Amino acid sequence: MSEQNNMNKGKVRIDFPPKWVTAEKANGEPFTISNGKGESWPAVKCTLPTGTKVDGKDLSGFSFTTFQKPWNKADIEAGKGTGVFVNADRNVSLFKYDQNGQRHDESVEPQKLSDAVEAARAEYREQHQSHDRSQEQETGLDELCEQKTAEANERESGSQDRSAQNVQR
């Protein structure tokens, strides 16, 4: 465990509920992060839950990609939420496509983003106290997010170069 802690020094952890993280595009292809040298690595696409607000700005539905860690894929395949790490000293580049296919970009401080995602999850749990955490993945909000994510994935399929610009190293 200490090796993992050392590996993640200078990083901020962001925990995502199930269905708000994915390692595959809608067509089943894995998400990857590529560089200009033709090298690529497995990636995770994270979508911000409904109610995620940073400095009063609603960032619900915005996404970012980051390098996939071994536990991410296992968590996702098990239907659990997972935690991802982003650099603490570098803003997270978020993107979102609207109904017209127009791309919108935002940049957020990592710790503020982590706190906002946790606050959105806590607010959701508070509003749905009759549900336990395992039922969180079965809600209509998650289904709506999954649908919107699939639509966004379809719009950006084939544009891997653009999503690589949002890499969090």
Side-chain angles (χ1 to χ4, degrees):
M1 190 65 156
S2 63
E3 183 180 332
Q4 183 176 338
N5 289 340
N6 287 337
M7 181 175 68
N8 295 316
K9 280 187 178 181
K11 305 275 186 181
V12 172
R13 181 182 171 113
I14 306 173
D15 291 312
F16 285 92
K19 294 190 179 181
W20 296 77
V21 290
T22 183
E24 295 180 349
K25 299 176 185 178
N27 64 6
E29 290 181 37
F31 275 104
T32 59
I33 295 172
S34 302
N35 65 13
K37 299 175 186 175
E39 300 169 313
S40 64
W41 300 269
V44 175
K45 180 179 177 189
C46 306
T47 303
L48 303 184
T50 302
T52 304
K53 295 179 183 172
V54 175
D55 295 332
K57 185 167 191 158
D58 188 359
L59 298 175
S60 303
F62 273 83
S63 300
F64 68 95
T65 56
T66 190
F67 291 100
Q68 184 184 113
K69 302 294 185 197
W71 64 84
N72 296 136
K73 187 168 184 174
D75 288 348
I76 292 167
E77 288 174 350
K80 302 185 320 186
T82 192
V84 299
F85 290 90
V86 294
N87 284 338
D89 60 351
R90 186 169 158 196
N91 281 2
V92 179
S93 297
L94 305 173
F95 63 95
K96 179 178 177 177
Y97 291 91
D98 64 20
Q99 294 171 340
N100 300 321
Q102 179 75 28
R103 182 179 164 122
H104 301 274
D105 296 291
E106 293 289 336
S107 181
V108 180
E109 293 175 31
Q111 190 60 57
K112 285 185 178 183
L113 182 59
S114 179
D115 294 344
V117 170
E118 182 54 38
R121 293 185 72 193
E123 183 178 326
Y124 175 88
R125 285 190 297 269
E126 186 177 306
Q127 291 175 357
H128 299 87
Q129 288 178 357
S130 63
H131 296 105
D132 64 14
R133 286 184 104 166
S134 66
Q135 291 173 317
E136 184 175 311
Q137 64 184 334
E138 298 173 2
T139 67
L141 291 176
D142 284 333
E143 290 169 7
L144 177 63
C145 179
E146 187 174 76
Q147 177 187 357
K148 295 294 184 188
T149 299
E151 291 170 5
N153 288 343
E154 287 175 21
R155 284 193 293 270
E156 67 180 272
S157 65
S159 63
Q160 192 58 266
D161 294 351
R162 286 177 31 193
S163 66
Q165 295 171 0
N166 295 303
V167 172
Q168 299 303 314
R169 297 179 198 247

